[in-house]
Amino acid sequence: MPKNYLIRYGGAVTGIEEEKAIIRSIRKSRKTRNWQEAEEGKKFSSEAANFLGVKYGILTNSGSSAGLLALCALECPRGSEVIISAVTFPTIFNIILQCGLIPVVVDAKIGTYGFSIEDVEKAITKKTKAIIAIHPLGNPVDMPKLMKLVKKYGKQGQKIWVLEDNCDGWGTDIGGCKTGAWGDISITSFHAAHIVSMGIGGGVFTNNRTLVRKVRIYRDWGRQADVNESKNKKWPQLPTDYNPRFIYEKIGYNFQVLELQAAMGRVQLRKIVQIKKARKRNFVYLYNNLQKYDKLILPVLSTDADVCWFAFPITYIGDRGKLLKYLEKNRIETRPLFTGNVTKHPAYRQSKFRISGTLKEADYITKHSFWLSCHPSLHKADLKYIVKVFDNFFKKYE
């Protein structure tokens, strides 16, 4: 493997604006002696929520933590079932197990790399309490159809929560409505590799006031950090003079962020139009120039969506190892499609989960799929180089 890639898959693109914002934040924190989320954090969470078109946003230290907080806030009874695609990120699968719930795994489809709503419906039982809708590499689940499905069950008396994993999909929209605004609650990642970055971090978003309050409690050690009351009137087992801000109502975590991260995130968010435009441009170039190869299955849009592509997924009908080795030799970085079939990983040998239907396509994705960069930093020459390497590979081996 080359020591230095010519074409890297990701990484935050930053400039002097982010640097200045971080320095201003550091100087202010030195004066106030407060380094955790304050004014910048409040502004960024509000601006990010406004961008999505929802009422509430809460920042946290990663997309993985955001997922755990969001699922915790739903407070599904232990042993309840949560439907999820077989092709996922491991920490999003893990949150189901961490909350004492049962993952119900459905197949992912080659081309979209997400689940079909038909497979989701077949997986629903009386125990189903939530569905995690993952937008893989930005390509969204058919959210209008999914929300129609859960509404049907709601009318029958079965409440099913929808949690959107929007870590890859920031900036994507379906019919003018952003991914991350369709479900009951959504999460995103602001990691350096993702579309908008605060270095490392994440966020939880919702229109539900009760859920946002619970997310905040779980994030902030299990206590109501924003309570302004001076007397304890709620919990008789504790003294009345016990400050309600330090009463721990949940088994919580410390998943807070720094002010300087939020300051960087605010600058990045203002660049989202240019970021999306560049990612779409690069995606289209790769698509148009690689579609000539019959052995490459290129991405299939799952809905009528305007996608902000996180990366360019490919399924190769052939020896993937040979192709990946050739790309890596030519300094083009690649990644597998996250877990592929998550149930095949050794971490889950002793875990309790249920498979609905077959995972035939997820197994194929595990063996044949990968993704390339369509990062906004790529220039036309970079894209031409990628295509040229593919051309050379097919001339040599096919």
Side-chain angles (χ1 to χ4, degrees), residues 127-313:
K127 293 183 179 180
T128 304
K129 297 298 181 184
I131 299 166
I132 298 179
I134 301 162
H135 305 308
L137 304 184
N139 196 17
V141 165
D142 188 341
M143 292 306 298
K145 195 171 183 179
L146 178 60
M147 299 313 295
K148 185 177 180 180
L149 175 64
V150 297
K151 186 176 180 180
K152 181 182 79 171
Y153 277 84
K155 288 180 179 179
Q156 297 171 3
Q158 182 177 0
K159 171 63 178 177
I160 301 175
W161 299 101
V162 174
L163 191 167
E164 287 183 78
D165 177 353
N166 197 34
C167 289
D168 295 352
W170 192 267
T172 293
D173 65 73
I174 308 168
C177 181
K178 296 283 194 303
T179 54
W182 286 89
D184 297 287
I185 195 165
S186 74
I187 64 168
T188 199
S189 172
F190 294 125
H191 187 278
H194 284 272
I195 291 166
V196 165
S197 174
M198 50 193 286
I200 190 167
V204 184
F205 301 90
T206 183
N207 283 312
N208 188 310
R209 187 175 181 181
T210 300
L211 289 183
V212 78
R213 178 181 175 275
K214 288 180 180 179
V215 168
R216 190 176 297 279
I217 291 173
Y218 281 111
R219 186 198 69 166
D220 297 346
W221 302 283
R223 65 183 175 91
Q224 298 183 64
D226 56 351
V227 170
N228 295 318
E229 299 172 9
S230 58
K231 290 186 178 181
N232 166 36
K233 300 176 183 179
K234 187 176 180 181
W235 305 101
Q237 66 269 39
L238 290 169
T240 56
D241 67 349
Y242 208 97
N243 189 331
R245 289 185 64 234
F246 299 99
I247 294 176
Y248 299 90
E249 299 186 3
K250 309 284 186 184
I251 298 176
Y253 308 91
N254 178 12
F255 287 162
Q256 298 187 49
V257 299
L258 298 174
E259 268 285 86
L260 63 89
Q261 294 173 275
M264 174 179 170
R266 292 186 67 204
V267 177
Q268 287 269 294
L269 185 59
R270 292 195 288 270
K271 297 180 178 181
I272 184 61
V273 173
Q274 303 97 293
I275 291 170
K276 181 175 180 177
K277 184 178 179 181
R279 286 182 174 275
K280 286 178 65 178
R281 178 196 66 221
N282 296 342
F283 179 93
V284 169
Y285 185 93
L286 292 174
Y287 189 96
N288 289 342
N289 285 277
L290 294 177
Q291 62 180 336
K292 59 192 173 189
Y293 293 114
D294 293 337
K295 284 200 169 185
L296 298 181
I297 300 175
L298 300 188
V300 177
L301 286 174
S302 57
T303 59
D304 182 19
D306 182 18
V307 180
C308 183
W309 287 97
F310 174 62
F312 190 92

Side-chain angles (χ1 to χ4, degrees), residues 324-374:
L324 294 186
K325 186 177 180 180
Y326 191 83
L327 293 171
E328 297 274 344
K329 180 181 177 182
N330 285 277
R331 302 171 66 196
I332 298 174
E333 191 173 20
T334 66
R335 289 287 188 276
L337 252 295
F338 305 114
T339 59
N341 181 350
V342 67
T343 68
K344 295 292 180 71
H345 286 263
Y348 309 109
R349 286 174 181 167
Q350 304 301 319
S351 300
K352 185 177 180 181
F353 55 83
R354 179 169 70 84
I355 295 173
S356 177
T358 70
L359 303 182
K360 184 177 179 181
E361 293 193 51
D363 285 335
Y364 195 87
I365 290 166
T366 306
K367 295 177 181 178
H368 293 274
S369 302
F370 65 99
W371 48 268
L372 298 170
S373 176
C374 63

Side-chain angles (χ1 to χ4, degrees), residues 59-71:
L59 300 178
T60 185
N61 63 336
S62 72
S64 301
S65 296
L68 180 57
L69 293 172
L71 192 57

